[in-house]
Amino acid sequence: MSDDPTAYSPSNGHKDFIREIIEADLASGKHSGTVTRFPPEPNGYLHIGHAKSICLNFGIAQGYGGRCHLRFDDTNPVKEEEEYVESIQEDIRWLGFDWGGHLYFASDYFDQLYEWAIHLIEQGKAFVDDQTAEEIRETRGDLQSPGANSPFRDRSVADNLDLFQQMKAGKFASGERVLRAKIDMTHPNLNLRDPVIYRIDHSEHHRTGDQWCIYPIYDFAHGQCDALEHITHSLCTLEFENHRPLYDWFLDNLPVPSRPRQIEFSRLNLNYTVMSKRKLLQLVEENHVSGWDDPRMPTISGLRRRGYPAEAIRHFCQTIGITKFKSTNDIGLLENAVRNVLNKTALRFMAVLDPIRVVITNYPEDQVEEMEAIRNPEDPDAGMRLVPFSRELYIERNDFMEDPPKKFFRLSPGREVRLRCGYFIRCDEVIKNEAGEITELRCTHDPETRGGENPPDGRKVKATIHWVSARHAVEGEVRVYDRLFSDENPESGDGSFLDAINPDSLQVIANAKLEPGLGKIPPGECVQFERLGYFCADPDRSEDQPVFNCTVSLRDHWAKLQARKKS
Ligand code: ATP
Ligand code: MG
């Protein structure tokens, strides 16, 4: 990506406030290089919000010749973590970033963190509390009133050391005791009111197994891990702003080998979706979607399966920028980034999603012509493709109207249109079944318009439509998606966010008629169905039936796809 001229870099002057700070630190000699980290908790798949943080942290490493660590924040022993650890690495690589040899786990530092807890106890700065979680919460006070000291706060260093060692040795049940930092129960910042730093949990840990039954709290682990890895700038989202004084307190009171600086930025929010991993997990577990990689999910794996290019996600993250303002971005911005990339890269094909048969009565019964068509008008190197033309074709049902209103210029009785790279055809007759439904259109073509060229008499038509030769069509399944939630802010209502789920977010078209070349598109590749949108080949295909996911409409056809769905 270093060849991407729009990428953030010190040289193009395109800077956010974090890069300003970094450049000042480099200029003043405070740091000779940058070390950042991306610290996911392996309790779910990554989503588009994480992409913002990934692009920032890895982007800084690229822009300043520094490095970015991938550190799993696994201080919380929960189930199924291996699957998440794998998927997170796959997603970051797919986004185009690399941590080199710098893969770490917070659990790698459990021994060191334990020693530092002992250090605090020895300094009289931590104590074992026998109170229940509830008692601790009740005595914490609030923004108006100070908290109350724990009755166990003045235990001797010797007693604290002994009890903490017993905690580690598994002498107590989960939740029976905790280790707290001894700071100030009247501090205006609640995070400094003797925060819990170690808790007992007898669950199995995905990496350390049953080696530990005490685990450091996030706040006691994060800054220290940063210091151990010589992170220079520890970038996190705004909800950690109030934790920064505690982050600094630990660094001030422990013999850490380096001094990282925490800087907060606002998280990415998108309308029409939810972003918390807990809620995404609920969507998966309750089968509201087919899995973490369901193309309607805001997960990286879902967007990938939907056909969103990594480049578009990076561009989107760059466009929204890095600030401290809380805001919600329009999903349309992300969709536009996708269109911009796919317009340049996607090969064009014709596909008919709602077919109606057209018979060209003056075209020889067994003649087939290979029509030349442009593969991608945006990419001259892509060259030409051949599309078979024959007497019987399919066109979209909504490209024909028997009784057209004034502004409808496509096919109707007596009207002529251009078939893309085919011929001009005129509709002579409409065939209906007993129920009065149109089953077939009888048309004639003008042989002088081969390739869709204007005829010598200068006659013009007002519309060009797409088509697929009936005899050559590959049948495929096409999945058209609408937003997963009908509400712009699914979390705003009184009820559950699940109430905002759009019941019609997936429409499956079982027998779409596809240009033959579409049978050979490898899974993961995106193409344009001319006049309809961008579609991505799905791995979930059978031997002879491709499956395509609608990635995004061509801007002006979204309304049409929706209208078809509702009718
Ligand atoms: P969630 O609320 O979805 O569970 P999280 O913050 O708990 O998210 P982590 O795995 O802890 O998830 O996040 C890893 C990193 O990604 C953190 O540095 C976090 O600040 C960042 N991050 C998470 N969500 C967003 C977001 N919506 N926008 C920007 N950064 C985010
Ligand atoms: Mg988290």
Side-chain angles (χ1 to χ4, degrees):
M1 253 161 307
S2 46
D3 57 351
D4 179 350
T6 55
Y8 281 121
S9 79
S11 60
N12 67 9
H14 199 152
K15 267 173 280 174
D16 53 71
F17 78 98
I18 294 181
R19 286 172 168 90
E20 302 267 6
I21 292 173
I22 287 177
E23 289 188 18
D25 285 349
L26 292 173
S28 73
K30 180 177 176 189
H31 297 296
S32 56
T34 63
V35 188
T36 50
R37 86 286 168 269
F38 174 66
E41 185 179 348
N43 62 348
Y45 281 58
L46 295 182
H47 52 61
I48 179 78
H50 291 115
K52 176 175 179 175
S53 178
I54 291 168
C55 289
L56 175 65
N57 281 293
F58 285 94
I60 284 171
Q62 289 176 342
Y64 297 96
R67 61 173 202 260
C68 180
H69 298 182
L70 170 58
R71 185 199 314 140
F72 286 100
D73 166 24
D74 60 351
T75 51
N76 202 356
V78 287
K79 271 194 266 165
E80 292 183 323
E81 291 200 348
E82 262 333 298
E83 178 192 348
Y84 300 136
V85 167
E86 295 299 319
S87 74
I88 287 170
Q89 295 185 53
E90 182 186 351
D91 289 350
I92 298 172
R93 282 208 191 89
W94 177 78
L95 277 172
F97 299 107
D98 186 7
W99 50 92
H102 297 282
L103 172 64
Y104 304 104
F105 291 82
S107 54
D108 295 340
Y109 308 113
F110 280 172
D111 284 314
Q112 177 67 77
L113 293 168
Y114 176 75
E115 269 176 44
W116 279 342
I118 299 275
H119 178 87
L120 284 185
I121 294 173
E122 285 170 347
Q123 301 287 311
K125 290 174 183 166
F127 66 99
V128 173
D129 198 344
D130 301 3
Q131 294 185 106
T132 62
E134 175 142 25
E135 285 166 336
I136 291 177
R137 207 176 313 120
E138 279 170 0
T139 52
R140 202 172 172 221
D142 53 34
L143 289 175
Q144 280 76 41
S145 46
N149 283 350
S150 163
F152 304 96
R153 196 172 198 264
D154 294 321
R155 269 184 167 138
S156 69
V157 168
D159 283 356
N160 278 319
L161 282 176
D162 178 50
L163 283 167
F164 189 50
Q165 270 145 14
Q166 288 190 52
M167 280 171 63
K168 176 175 187 257
K171 298 284 163 56
F172 305 118
S174 297
E176 206 178 323
R177 276 179 176 75
V178 292
L179 184 70
R180 297 175 73 177
K182 198 190 280 189
I183 307 181
D184 180 0
M185 287 306 289
T186 67
H187 201 286
N189 183 333
L190 272 68
N191 290 310
L192 282 100
R193 293 187 187 171
D194 292 3
V196 172
I197 60 177
Y198 260 92
R199 66 204 169 84
I200 302 171
D201 188 333
H202 287 274
S203 317
E204 171 107 357
H205 186 279
H206 78 123
R207 295 188 85 230
T208 59
D210 58 4
Q211 190 189 339
W212 294 89
C213 63
I214 54 171
Y215 291 94
I217 294 295
Y218 172 88
D219 282 320
F220 189 69
H222 202 81
Q224 286 89 307
C225 294
D226 286 344
L228 286 165
E229 292 176 14
H230 293 265
I231 301 297
T232 54
H233 300 87
S234 179
L235 314 176
C236 61
T237 35
L238 281 182
E239 65 273 21
F240 292 104
E241 198 163 22
N242 285 331
H243 293 243
R244 187 175 357 117
L246 183 56
Y247 181 98
D248 289 333
W249 190 90
F250 290 128
L251 298 181
D252 288 340
N253 287 280
L254 292 170
V256 291
S258 80
R259 185 67 201 216
R261 170 173 175 189
Q262 174 178 310
I263 306 172
E264 310 85 16
F265 63 96
S266 58
R267 58 198 295 129
L268 169 68
N269 297 303
L270 277 185
N271 56 6
Y272 294 105
T273 191
V274 296
M275 212 92 90
S276 117
K277 280 183 280 187
R278 188 175 55 77
K279 289 180 178 151
L280 297 176
L281 177 65
Q282 194 178 347
L283 289 172
V284 173
E285 286 190 329
E286 295 177 6
N287 296 313
H288 300 291
V289 293
S290 65
W292 283 99
D293 69 345
D294 184 299
R296 291 164 294 180
M297 289 281 270
T299 51
I300 304 297
S301 50
L303 299 176
R304 175 167 65 230
R305 188 162 175 193
R306 178 86 174 250
Y308 282 30
E311 186 188 350
I313 296 176
R314 294 196 303 265
H315 277 176
F316 168 72
C317 289
Q318 201 174 294
T319 308
I320 58 173
I322 300 291
T323 70
K324 271 187 179 284
F325 303 110
K326 288 186 187 163
S327 65
T328 299
N329 288 106
D330 194 313
I331 187 131
L333 206 60
L334 176 58
E335 291 170 346
N336 258 338
V338 170
R339 287 190 189 97
N340 287 341
V341 173
L342 292 180
N343 182 42
K344 285 182 287 169
T345 58
L347 298 181
R348 273 57 169 172
F349 289 93
M350 291 192 283
V352 176
L353 303 190
D354 184 13
I356 180 167
R357 184 176 287 265
V358 167
V359 178
I360 301 175
T361 51
N362 65 341
Y363 196 87
E365 197 88 47
D366 29 70
Q367 182 171 326
V368 176
E369 284 178 276
E370 298 286 346
M371 302 305 221
E372 275 213 323
I374 293 173
R375 277 195 213 275
N376 181 356
E378 302 293 320
D379 176 8
D381 295 340
M384 305 297 282
R385 70 186 200 270
L386 295 175
V387 186
F389 186 93
S390 66
R391 178 181 159 96
E392 296 199 8
L393 314 170
Y394 294 110
I395 65 166
E396 296 286 351
R397 190 166 285 272
N398 69 2
D399 277 335
F400 174 81
M401 279 185 96
E402 193 171 16
D403 191 12
K406 254 200 162 138
K407 289 203 166 145
F408 185 89
F409 299 117
R410 288 164 279 156
L411 200 60
S412 55
R415 168 90 53 79
E416 198 172 35
V417 295
R418 172 190 286 111
L419 294 177
R420 165 83 100 228
C421 72
Y423 287 99
F424 282 21
I425 57 167
R426 181 185 310 277
C427 177
D428 307 317
E429 195 185 347
V430 180
I431 311 286
K432 296 181 182 174
N433 62 16
E434 280 169 15
E437 297 156 349
I438 301 173
T439 54
E440 190 178 300
L441 303 173
R442 297 271 162 102
C443 301
T444 40
H445 79 298
D446 176 354
E448 305 242 51
T449 58
R450 190 177 189 282
E453 299 293 330
N454 286 331
D457 66 8
R459 209 166 77 245
K460 295 236 162 65
V461 288
K462 283 197 166 146
T464 299
I465 64 175
H466 62 276
W467 52 275
V468 172
S469 163
R471 195 169 358 142
H472 303 91
V474 168
E475 294 221 328
E477 181 177 308
V478 175
R479 300 173 185 169
V480 180
Y481 303 97
D482 194 357
R483 313 216 187 286
L484 186 52
F485 295 95
S486 346
D487 196 322
E488 186 164 352
N489 181 357
E491 286 149 308
S492 65
D494 296 334
S496 158
F497 73 103
L498 297 173
D499 298 341
I501 287 187
N502 172 7
D504 302 314
S505 61
L506 169 63
Q507 178 202 13
V508 177
I509 299 166
N511 296 308
K513 310 292 183 186
L514 310 175
E515 184 183 321
L518 286 170
K520 299 189 273 287
I521 303 297
E525 187 171 323
C526 259
V527 296
Q528 186 191 99
F529 290 179
E530 294 193 54
R531 299 179 63 232
L532 295 178
Y534 296 99
F535 292 76
C536 185
D538 196 88
D540 184 20
R541 61 167 291 164
S542 65
E543 193 58 33
D544 51 356
Q545 257 238 341
V547 173
F548 284 92
N549 296 310
C550 181
T551 309
V552 67
S553 63
L554 296 177
R555 202 178 321 268
D556 40 342
H557 285 83
W558 183 246
K560 210 190 293 173
L561 282 172
Q562 293 310 299
R564 170 183 307 137
K565 235 174 82 173
K566 294 206 173 82
S567 65

